[in-house]
Amino acid sequence: MRPLLGLLLAAALLLSGCGGGDGTAGEPTSAATSAPSPTAPSSSTEAPPEGGTDAGATLLALISQSNVGGEVSTRAVPLDSADAVAEFSAQFEGSQMSESLQQALSVATVPDGQQLMGAVIAVGCTTPGNATVTRADDGSIVVTAQGGGKSTQECLVPVTTVALVAVPQADA
């Protein structure tokens, strides 16, 4: 009986492990050219390709971590103090994302007259390859995941991607 229960639990976890890039179940709304290994945690902090940003905004980094939770909200929030970074990081499970954020922030160069902001842009089976930064009608900064096609790998755990951006202070 116990082996059967374990098998059923494993099957349920596999079926529920993928969320969409918009926080809903199903296919992710953003994708990447490569997906994380299904057996090992994924961690990447890479400088994204140039382009895809609104005038004056700079996409500094995309940070992806497996199985850390978080909720997609493309509206960027200021990360201008240790308290703001701690509050933003509190949504993630474990310390992996917080450590990756601290590492990325320690090497990020924010140009004079700009403010550092961050947003969770995807939670799903794949990671976006890039992001766009725009202004919404209400003036808020919106960071949207951009990427390749569907992943061909089986999704065992969702991957959370955070975008770090520098935005002119008058616009933030």
Side-chain angles (χ1 to χ4, degrees), residues 11-49:
L13 287 172
L14 285 174
L15 292 174
S16 65
C18 289
D22 62 355
T24 61
E27 291 297 320
T29 58
S30 61
T33 56
S34 64
S37 166
T39 58
S42 168
S43 172
S44 68
T45 305
E46 299 179 17

Side-chain angles (χ1 to χ4, degrees), residues 33-151:
T33 56
S34 64
S37 166
T39 58
S42 168
S43 172
S44 68
T45 305
E46 299 179 17
E50 291 293 320
T53 60
D54 201 342
T58 304
L59 181 58
L60 300 174
L62 295 177
I63 304 164
S64 296
Q65 284 286 335
S66 295
N67 206 27
V68 296
E71 188 172 322
V72 173
S73 176
T74 57
R75 303 282 175 158
V77 297
L79 299 177
D80 53 1
S81 70
D83 288 342
V85 173
E87 185 177 332
F88 182 74
S89 297
Q91 68 182 302
F92 306 113
E93 299 169 17
S95 62
Q96 300 95 330
M97 182 61 84
S98 180
E99 291 168 2
S100 293
L101 279 169
Q102 289 299 331
Q103 180 182 7
L105 292 171
S106 71
V107 298
T109 303
V110 180
D112 288 338
Q114 294 200 346
Q115 178 179 15
L116 180 66
M117 300 184 84
V120 177
I121 61 169
V123 177
C125 296
T126 59
T127 58
N130 202 352
T132 58
V133 181
T134 57
R135 280 180 207 88
D137 291 339
D138 65 1
S140 62
I141 302 301
V142 176
V143 186
T144 307
Q146 301 295 309
K150 294 180 183 178
S151 172

